[in-house]
Amino acid sequence: MKGILKLNQCDVTVNPALGSHDPSMMWDPVTEMYYSYSTDVYMPEMGLSDKIGIPVRSSRDLIHFQYEGTVLSQEASDEGRDNGKFPPTVNFWAPYVEYVQGEYRMYYSATKAFGSSESRIWLAVAKQPTGPFENRGIVMDTWGTDDTLPNAIDAHIIWDGSRCYLVYGSFFGGIYIKELDGSTGMPLDGDSKTLGICISRKSKDPVIDGPEGAAVIYVPETDYFYLFQSYGWLGDTYDIRVGRSKEVTGPYLDMQGRSLVEEAMGVKLANSYRFHGTKPHAAEGHGWSWDGFRGPGHGVPFYDPKTGQYFFVHHVRDGAAINCHYDEKEKRNSYGVHYLMIRPMFFIKDWPVLGPEPYTGETFEPVSPKEVKGSWEILTLDEESNDIKISGEYLLDSESKYLNDGKLYTCWDFENEKTTVAVTGFDNSGIAYWGKFMYS
């Protein structure tokens, strides 16, 4: 079996990628294991029947994972759910975990209700990566605020030398960054109501919803901080975008030098798509048929110290018609089954690009365009529409705009279960693209 991802297999004990939503990723130097924590999503019919409390998946190689259950203690869960006179929080959202100063710190969100901007980000700590995690306190609190201010949700941590920062926010007032006390992980000024600095916010007349699911990483090789975020509806229009800055607190800009605060959404790196697939890795039966992936997004950039490779870890939805229902109220499609996906990430002219296929242990040795002359499937991740992108056939040569400094490498073709050559990069207009060589 190549990698962790298998579609139409709805048992988390044999398909650990199932049900992962808003995933994070951590390399633990103590156990020398990878751990991916995610939003509470429980579907008894799919084997996900744990109590509320942050699920975790573990791996030894970043390819094969195991579902481990939940990590919050009952006491911490009860405290985090307590909303006083209001109904208790239904589930916890978007955890981020790091190992620092001999302890595991988990930042997770509890919201008043789905879609509310009144939320809290808690810090819980543990001696083991699988818990139990006990609450240390509230790091960010937006209860009692209106929708013009940020939402205390979607926590991510970025260190700038010895200084620790919380990145957070979702829709509403935008994405903010706030300094923490690195020795405790709590607010530097002791105030959970201090907002910090806005580093991304939608325009006054937005085309699509967002931003949310933000994360920042510093890359020494380029000397830039990169802010990743998602725009769109959790269906066909959801995507992954990026801006960059020389300073952790911004300003974060796109390729045209436009600020992510009300001027631009960022450079699009991924959106809903469908490559041609003759044999996707999927369980047979149950009326399922391949129809691409929807809504890649809400992920984290991740540097793997074992391989020295950068990755982007996110969730993605199975686009098969059997998993789709049309929301009459919202007038848009929703997809009910989602998975953990891990993509390689490369840098071209100091901008990140994502690999078109899930990671299965590739070493990413470069391939010369001269070795793969012929027809290619190309997906152009343009802004002309937010609908699903479908691959087209192109004849590529060394002069093609789709090989303009693109990264070519040998990988596993998920949609056709065979080895192929993939390419990712930006065309001459600065638009990201993905491609696969079409072997006869």
Side-chain angles (χ1 to χ4, degrees), residues 71 102-106 124-134:
V71 298
E103 64 182 5
Y104 298 90
R105 296 178 182 174
M106 178 169 68
V125 298
K127 295 180 179 179
Q128 303 292 334
T130 53
F133 281 81
E134 305 291 350

Side-chain angles (χ1 to χ4, degrees), residues 417-431:
E417 291 200 338
K418 63 181 182 180
T419 300
T420 190
V421 173
V423 63
T424 179
F426 297 105
D427 69 15
N428 299 330
S429 302
I431 296 173

Side-chain angles (χ1 to χ4, degrees), residues 140 150 163 165-169 173-179 189 193-201 214 216 227 245 247-252 259 261:
M140 189 64 224
R163 301 177 72 175
Y165 293 86
L166 169 72
V167 178
Y168 74 97
I175 307 301
Y176 279 65
I177 189 168
K178 167 179 175 172
E179 189 167 2
D189 61 2
K193 291 287 189 178
T194 302
L195 298 179
I197 301 169
C198 180
I199 55 175
S200 180
R201 183 163 53 221
V216 173
L227 169 60
S245 173
E247 304 293 335
V248 69
T249 54
Y252 287 88
S259 172
V261 179

